[in-house]
Amino acid sequence: MVSSGSTETTESDAPSARIRLRSWLLEDVTAEKPAQQSAAEGAPETSQEGAEAGDSAAHGAHAGQRWWRVMCLTGLDYFSTLGYQPGIAALAAGVLSPIATIVLVVVTLLGALPVYRRVAKESPHGEGSIAMLERLLSFWKGKLFVLALLGFAATDFLITITLSAADASAHLVENPHLTGFLGGKQVLITLILVALLGAVFLKGFSEAIGLAVFLVGTYLLLNVVVVAVGLWKIIEAPHVVTDWTDALTAQHGNPIVMVGVALVTFPKLALGLSGFETGVAVMPHIKGDPDDTEANPVGRIRGTRKLLTTAAVIMSVFLITTSFITTLLIPADQFKAGGDANGRALAYLAHEYLGGAFGSVYDLSTIAILWFAGASAMAGMLNLLPRYLPRYGMAPHWARAVRPMVIVLTLVGFLVTWIFDANVDAQGGAYATGVLVLISSAAIAVTIAAYKKHERGWTVAFAVIAAIFLYTTVLNVLERPDGLKIGACFIAGIILVSLLSRLRRAFELRVTNVALDDMAERFIRDYAHRPLRLIANEPSHRDVAEYRDKIRQIRADNDIPGEDDLVFVEVTVRDASDFEAELTVRGEVLHGRYRVLTLESSSIPNALAALALNIRDRTGQQPHLYFEWTEGSPFAQFLRFFLFGQGEVAPVTREVLREAEPDRSRRPRVHVG
């Protein structure tokens, strides 16, 4: 008796536990209606984007955080590069590091900043330049191009998470007080930091911006102290400036040669440009004006531009000053692998000139901001990927929810950390490649946007900027081809998973809403008490002979009595690469006698199935669909359906109906002759 009761409890609790787990994972997504129910009721399918739109309507587009607070969120990524950027600059440019950094700052303020200020205006919902370029290309080439850019975006954001966590663990391991205890455990520490970041997002991210403000404020304040002390040490020992200028002259001769070498070298410093794409990705978090609308969020755009400009100016000042003091005050051999300043130049100065206590506080602050730098990258991906992949049918429905995506991204972070052995230098090439490709694509996108609006001056300016970033990208790829290889792996992975998901979801209804015009409503209302017989017709000349012959053939093939009315249905495929779409049905009477329903969709079978289900639920009658068999190989016809939305329509329509309506007695009838 007891055993039996225990078994029953266990068996009943198991489904309950699964339901609770599912509810927790999908908590942030409004309960979705099945696609067939949405189509039948004429209501749009609820999605994350729909929830966001509804939230915006309820609370106003101005809801969000002040721009300077969101700047701290994106600044987790941007400002945290100070933890390793001066050391990278010293290794790449040597004594030319300050000059190469000045070149980087000029490119930042006169190149990247104007580009992303324009991106913020053209794409104010966080999609960035990818959305701008998506609008220029249609069909599969557009989708594949977007997937490639998403691959580089994933490279940028994911490597931000793993590289920052690896650098945080390096600062922890190399702290003089901890190196004996933590030495050799950098991979384990990095994995723990990545897991903790994922745990923050699994719990909820509502307090993250407040934590970001504290971390960024503390880190920048400590860096102000280090820079001030470093500059004071240089003033106290002016010979270091003389030694530096003598070394410059001895190695490079004259200023023209120095600038030329700096121009060639500065692409290696591209990590200093990392914050711009993240800055645009977090736009939806910025508070707008009370009268903002989703179509025209003027306040949000203005706040984002303030964010980008302020962050760029702050970072530029720090880049120049930190490069200057680290180059002049730290021996060159300390920057190399195994040196005390390798990957932690400013921490080296903090310990050297401000003592172990301050140095440990600085290390702790650096570790915290580097660890949490992945938060801005994670937020960027959680905003970016669900805007594209589910809409393309290239991700499951749960990809719109935050927690499942966090789990997937955290596991990928574990894999990247393991592959690269938590090595900061090994990941730098991939990081820089992702950053530069995205900035180059943004520059190209705003150039095209300016050209289409006949803004000649801006077109020329943006074209020059695009050329500079393309040059920088090419040099970086030639110097460190591993970055392109890693980016290609991410692209291949995204495309493979996307196509498999699209294939798996091929027979979904894929129609978010069915809307009928007055004439179509009248046609269907006439059949409220009798079955509606629909002839699937591929329109050609649309003359009298076409419809007369089609009716004669269908009646003969299916033995339909002459007194039964027949209505033609014609679907035009505009872009078969689209996945989910609203269906608009228009009715017309041709040649004074033939009733025709016309539709536009990305797929003929899915559109016909959605229309049939909608008619069933409007009239209470089971509609009948009549088809002809298509000649040719079934496999070739399926490929035509998968790629072009056509192919063997009859069996695919029946399969879509079978998946959408499990109850066979309520399923619209399909006839093939």
Side-chain angles (χ1 to χ4, degrees):
M1 293 285 291
V2 174
S3 175
S4 174
S6 175
T7 302
E8 289 176 0
T9 302
T10 303
E11 289 176 351
S12 63
D13 283 351
S16 177
R18 286 196 296 269
I19 292 172
R20 287 197 300 270
L21 177 61
R22 178 182 174 83
S23 299
W24 179 75
L25 287 172
L26 304 179
E27 182 180 2
D28 61 306
V29 178
T30 304
E32 295 188 5
K33 297 179 182 179
Q36 66 270 23
Q37 181 182 346
S38 301
E41 295 177 356
E45 180 181 330
T46 305
S47 65
Q48 180 63 20
E49 292 176 8
E52 290 173 357
D55 186 66
S56 296
H59 303 292
H62 58 283
Q65 300 280 343
R66 299 289 297 274
W67 67 267
W68 59 269
R69 291 174 63 84
V70 182
M71 182 189 74
C72 291
L73 177 62
T74 185
L76 291 167
D77 174 21
Y78 198 21
F79 299 140
S80 68
T81 57
L82 291 172
Y84 46 82
Q85 177 72 13
I88 291 175
L91 283 174
V95 293
L96 269 177
S97 173
I99 297 176
T101 301
I102 290 173
V103 174
L104 175 67
V105 167
V106 171
V107 172
T108 297
L109 297 179
L110 301 183
L113 180 58
V115 164
Y116 277 93
R117 283 173 62 90
R118 182 63 177 255
V119 170
K121 178 183 177 182
E122 299 283 346
S123 180
H125 303 295
E127 307 99 320
S129 59
I130 296 177
M132 297 174 64
L133 293 170
E134 181 191 26
R135 293 194 289 265
L136 301 174
L137 297 169
S138 61
F139 208 62
W140 284 105
K141 59 181 179 293
K143 302 296 187 293
L144 292 174
F145 181 72
V146 169
L147 290 178
L149 288 181
L150 287 175
F152 283 112
T155 303
D156 178 6
F157 291 147
L158 268 169
I159 297 294
T160 295
I161 294 172
T162 58
L163 184 146
S164 298
D167 200 37
S169 64
H171 278 75
L172 194 63
V173 169
E174 293 169 12
N175 182 283
H177 303 292
L178 299 174
T179 185
F181 175 68
L182 298 177
K185 300 178 181 177
Q186 188 165 338
V187 173
L188 177 61
I189 296 171
T190 304
L191 291 173
I192 292 173
L193 292 178
V194 172
L196 288 174
L197 180 66
V200 170
F201 279 84
L202 288 176
K203 181 171 178 55
F205 199 50
S206 57
E207 290 81 24
I209 290 183
L211 180 58
V213 171
F214 172 76
L215 291 176
V216 168
T218 302
Y219 184 66
L220 292 182
L221 181 61
L222 292 173
N223 274 290
V224 168
V225 175
V226 174
V227 168
V229 170
L231 292 174
W232 180 251
K233 292 296 180 181
I234 292 173
I235 293 172
E236 285 186 328
H239 65 86
V240 297
V241 177
T242 305
D243 294 342
W244 174 61
T245 55
D246 289 344
L248 277 176
T249 305
Q251 292 184 25
H252 303 289
N254 59 69
I256 296 177
V257 175
M258 295 176 193
V259 173
V261 174
L263 287 171
V264 175
T265 304
F266 99 91
K268 299 178 182 179
L269 281 60
L271 295 182
L273 295 166
S274 64
F276 286 99
E277 194 70 29
T278 312
V280 173
V282 299
M283 276 189 74
H285 295 289
I286 296 176
K287 183 178 183 179
D289 294 335
D291 56 350
D292 274 7
T293 64
E294 284 300 303
N296 188 29
V298 177
R300 181 192 294 171
I301 294 171
R302 185 174 61 252
T304 303
R305 287 180 158 186
K306 289 180 181 178
L307 179 157
L308 294 169
T309 303
T310 305
V313 170
I314 292 173
M315 189 63 174
S316 296
V317 172
F318 274 113
L319 284 173
I320 293 174
T321 54
T322 56
S323 175
F324 184 68
I325 63 173
T326 53
T327 302
L328 269 64
L329 296 177
I330 299 177
D333 60 330
Q334 294 297 325
F335 291 109
K336 298 177 181 178
D340 292 338
N342 181 250
R344 55 189 301 276
L346 293 176
Y348 176 93
L349 292 180
H351 281 275
E352 182 74 16
Y353 295 118
L354 292 163
F358 182 90
S360 294
V361 171
Y362 185 88
D363 280 338
L364 182 62
S365 176
T366 304
I367 291 165
I369 194 171
L370 282 169
W371 164 66
F372 212 54
S376 59
M378 184 78 82
M381 280 191 291
L382 292 175
N383 180 59
L384 192 63
L385 295 179
R387 289 182 179 271
Y388 292 98
L389 297 183
R391 179 161 56 89
Y392 289 177
M394 293 178 171
H397 288 294
W398 55 257
R400 289 187 171 104
V402 169
R403 284 174 176 143
M405 286 297 293
V406 169
I407 293 172
V408 171
L409 295 173
T410 301
L411 292 175
V412 175
F414 288 166
L415 179 62
V416 171
T417 298
W418 175 70
I419 291 174
F420 288 101
D421 200 32
N423 187 297
V424 176
D425 294 333
Q427 298 176 70
Y431 187 27
T433 299
V435 169
L436 288 171
V437 168
L438 291 178
I439 293 180
S440 298
S441 69
I444 293 171
V446 298
T447 301
I448 296 171
Y451 175 77
K452 287 194 167 186
K453 293 183 178 180
H454 306 290
E455 299 171 352
R456 185 173 181 180
W458 279 116
T459 301
V460 173
F462 286 138
V464 171
I465 294 171
I468 291 172
F469 281 119
L470 286 172
Y471 152 81
T472 307
T473 304
V474 170
L475 280 188
N476 182 77
V477 169
L478 293 175
E479 178 74 21
R480 304 186 71 173
D482 56 309
L484 183 62
K485 295 175 184 176
I486 296 165
C489 290
F490 275 100
I491 293 171
I494 284 180
I495 290 177
L496 178 62
V497 172
S498 297
L499 292 178
L500 290 175
S501 175
R502 178 86 179 222
L503 184 64
R504 181 177 178 273
R505 299 181 63 189
F507 298 117
E508 287 184 10
L509 202 58
R510 294 162 48 177
V511 173
T512 58
N513 184 38
V514 178
L516 286 74
D517 71 0
D518 292 339
M519 183 67 75
E521 286 269 14
R522 193 175 305 125
F523 288 174
I524 293 171
R525 200 163 45 241
D526 288 346
Y527 293 89
H529 302 292
R530 54 190 173 127
L532 174 58
R533 302 185 185 275
L534 300 170
I535 300 177
N537 182 51
E538 184 176 356
S540 179
H541 300 294
R542 305 193 84 198
D543 55 14
V544 174
E546 177 180 336
Y547 294 105
R548 183 189 61 227
D549 294 343
K550 187 75 172 182
I551 284 182
R552 185 182 297 124
Q553 176 193 341
I554 292 296
R555 288 192 188 280
D557 289 346
N558 298 277
D559 196 24
I560 301 174
E563 63 271 13
D564 285 7
D565 291 336
L566 298 173
V567 176
F568 289 92
V569 183
E570 298 176 347
V571 183
T572 302
V573 176
R574 293 300 182 193
D575 187 349
S577 64
D578 287 339
F579 189 76
E580 295 178 342
E582 180 175 312
L583 199 65
T584 300
V585 185
R586 296 178 176 85
E588 55 184 321
V589 178
L590 296 181
H591 312 296
R593 58 181 299 185
Y594 300 113
R595 294 183 174 189
V596 182
L597 296 174
T598 61
L599 308 81
E600 289 185 2
S601 177
S602 60
S603 167
I604 294 175
N606 304 79
L608 292 173
L611 176 63
L613 289 168
N614 185 274
I615 292 172
R616 179 203 65 185
D617 291 306
R618 286 175 181 270
T619 65
Q621 298 290 327
Q622 297 289 90
H624 294 253
L625 284 163
Y626 294 90
F627 299 91
E628 293 181 52
W629 286 114
T630 304
E631 295 296 324
S633 164
F635 180 73
Q637 295 301 331
F638 174 76
L639 286 181
R640 284 189 65 210
F641 161 70
F642 182 73
L643 296 175
F644 307 115
Q646 301 180 40
E648 186 58 88
V649 175
V652 176
T653 303
R654 193 265 178 190
E655 181 61 22
V656 173
L657 286 169
R658 190 185 68 82
E659 287 204 6
E661 177 51 79
D663 186 350
R664 189 171 182 176
S665 65
R666 300 189 69 245
R667 198 178 299 156
R669 306 293 189 254
V670 174
H671 309 268
V672 190

